C-alpha cells in the first residue's frame, strides 16, 4: 500500500546517456512534484504538475523533461546526462495546490553519473 | 521571494537530552510552516505543521509554534531518543512572495542521538 513510489531506487549511468525515472501515487492527489537533493542534502523543487498540467518549472535545464500521462503518474526524463546531475531525485504529491496541503514524498532515486 | 534559514548541524545529543533546532523564515503574508524529517535512506515525512500565527504543531513529542512577530518556527523535543536520529528540514509554502504551493526548504539539520 505504498503511497508514492519511484523506480528505480538506484540508477548508475555514464555521461551522455538518456534515462528516465518513474513516479506513481495511489493517494488520489491532484498535484505532483519533482525535487532534487544534492550531496549536501539541500532540496530544491524542479517541476510541479496539477491535473496533468505543468504549473512550476524552476529554470531547470531543458535536458530535463517531465511527463504526466495521468494524475497518478509523473515521470522525469533526462537527456545527455552530466556529472552534475548526480543527486537524489524525489517525487512528491499533494491533495491540491493550497499552501497548507502536506506533500507526501517517495523514497527517492539515487542517480550517479560517471 | 520566500526563504528559510535553519541552524547548521550537525547536532549531537545524548539520549533524553532537550532538543531545539532553530528556524526562521522570510515571506510576506501568511505562509504555512512545516517540519519534515528524513531518516537515513528514506524520503521525507511530514513531522508537523502550522498554518497560522500562534498555531502549535505537535507530533511524536516534537513541537513547534508559528511566531509571526519573530518569523520563527523552532522545533523542540523534551527528551530525544536514538530513533530520532535523522535530518530535519524546516519548510514553508504560500505567503504572497511565492507560488502558493511551492515548498521552500531550509538546508536541513542532521541530528545524531547517542545512547
Amino acid at each position: 500500500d505504498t503511497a508514492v513510489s519511484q523506480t528505480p531506487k538506484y540508477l548508475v549511468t555514464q555521461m551522455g546517456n538518456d534515462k528516465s525515472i518513474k513516479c506513481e501515487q495511489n493517494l488520489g492527489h491532484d498535484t505532483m512534484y519533482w525535487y532534487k537533493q544534492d550531496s549536501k542534502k539541500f532540496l530544491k523543487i524542479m517541476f510541479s504538475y496539477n491535473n496533468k498540467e505543468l504549473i512550476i518549472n524552476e529554470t531547470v535545464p531543458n535536458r530535463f523533461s517531465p511527463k504526466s500521462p495521468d494524475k497518478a503518474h509523473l515521470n522525469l526524463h533526462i537527456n545527455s546526462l552530466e556529472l552534475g546531475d548526480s543527486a537524489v531525485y524525489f517525487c512528491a504529491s499533494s491533495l491540491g495546490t493550497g499552501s497548507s496541503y502536506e506533500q507526501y514524498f517517495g523514497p527517492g532515486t539515487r542517480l550517479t553519473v560517471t | 521571494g520566500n526563504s528559510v534559514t535553519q541552524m547548521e548541524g550537525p547536532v549531537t545529543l545524548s539520549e533524553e537530552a532537550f532538543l531545539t533546532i532553530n528556524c526562521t523564515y522570510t515571506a510576506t503574508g501568511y505562509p504555512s510552516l512545516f517540519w519534515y524529517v528524513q531518516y537515513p535512506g528514506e524520503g521525507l515525512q511530514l513531522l508537523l505543521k502550522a498554518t497560522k500565527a500562534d498555531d502549535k504543531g505537535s507530533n511524536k513529542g516534537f513541537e513547534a509554534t508559528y511566531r509571526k512577530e519573530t518569523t520563527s518556527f523552532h522545533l523542540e523535543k523534551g527528551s530525544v531518543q536514538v530513533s530520532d536520529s535523522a535530518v530535519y528540514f524546516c519548510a514553508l509554502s504560500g505567503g504572497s512572495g511565492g507560488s502558493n504551493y511551492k515548498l521552500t526548504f531550509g538546508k536541513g539539520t542532521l541530528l545524531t542521538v547517542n545512547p
Side-chain angles (χ1 to χ4, degrees):
Chain A
D1 61 342
T2 305
V4 182
S5 59
Q6 296 178 227
T7 54
K9 190 167 174 62
Y10 299 96
L11 186 51
V12 181
T13 188
Q14 291 184 327
M15 283 175 55
N17 285 349
D18 304 338
K19 290 293 178 186
S20 292
I21 306 171
K22 295 187 176 183
C23 177
E24 177 180 1
Q25 53 94 4
N26 63 4
L27 298 166
H29 288 169
D30 284 344
T31 311
M32 296 185 73
Y33 312 81
W34 277 111
Y35 289 87
K36 179 180 180 181
Q37 186 175 47
D38 64 22
S39 58
K40 296 185 178 179
K41 299 286 190 183
F42 185 60
L43 272 157
K44 189 166 166 48
I45 191 165
M46 301 173 68
F47 301 104
S48 178
Y49 273 72
N50 186 56
N51 279 320
K52 302 193 297 176
E53 289 194 22
L54 181 67
I55 54 174
I56 294 176
N57 182 343
E58 285 286 304
T59 59
V60 176
N62 58 15
R63 297 183 296 104
F64 290 79
S65 52
K67 281 190 175 53
S68 182
D70 55 58
K71 284 196 319 182
H73 296 85
L74 179 61
N75 303 323
L76 183 65
H77 187 77
I78 315 170
N79 289 326
S80 303
L81 278 154
E82 300 177 358
L83 292 177
D85 298 331
S86 295
V88 181
Y89 292 84
F90 287 101
C91 177
S93 72
S94 63
L95 191 61
T97 57
S99 63
S100 63
Y101 287 128
E102 171 185 353
Q103 291 187 21
Y104 292 77
F105 284 77
T109 296
R110 182 174 293 277
L111 171 65
T112 303
V113 182
T114 62
Chain B
N2 296 342
S3 67
V4 175
T5 303
Q6 63 182 102
M7 64 186 281
E8 303 241 349
V11 174
T12 303
L13 296 174
S14 297
E15 209 164 22
E16 298 184 6
F18 184 85
L19 169 71
T20 300
I21 301 178
N22 290 336
C23 171
T24 57
Y25 67 90
T26 301
T28 54
Y30 296 89
S32 294
L33 302 174
F34 305 83
W35 277 100
Y36 281 83
V37 58
Q38 185 178 26
Y39 297 104
E42 297 184 13
L44 279 76
Q45 304 172 25
L46 180 70
L47 183 58
L48 53 84
K49 72 177 187 181
T51 58
K52 60 182 189 295
D54 300 325
D55 266 2
K56 178 187 279 188
S58 61
N59 185 25
K60 299 181 182 179
F62 291 89
E63 293 183 340
T65 301
Y66 188 145
R67 300 280 187 209
K68 183 119 179 96
E69 64 275 14
T70 53
T71 61
S72 65
F73 193 54
H74 304 321
L75 182 68
E76 296 182 336
K77 186 175 186 182
S79 176
V80 293
Q81 306 300 312
V82 172
S83 57
D84 293 327
S85 297
V87 180
Y88 291 80
F89 293 92
C90 185
L92 71 81
S93 69
S96 50
S99 299
N100 201 36
Y101 33 80
K102 173 181 147 182
L103 267 177
T104 299
F105 286 94
K107 292 188 175 180
T109 302
L110 173 63
L111 170 66
T112 302
V113 180
N114 295 320

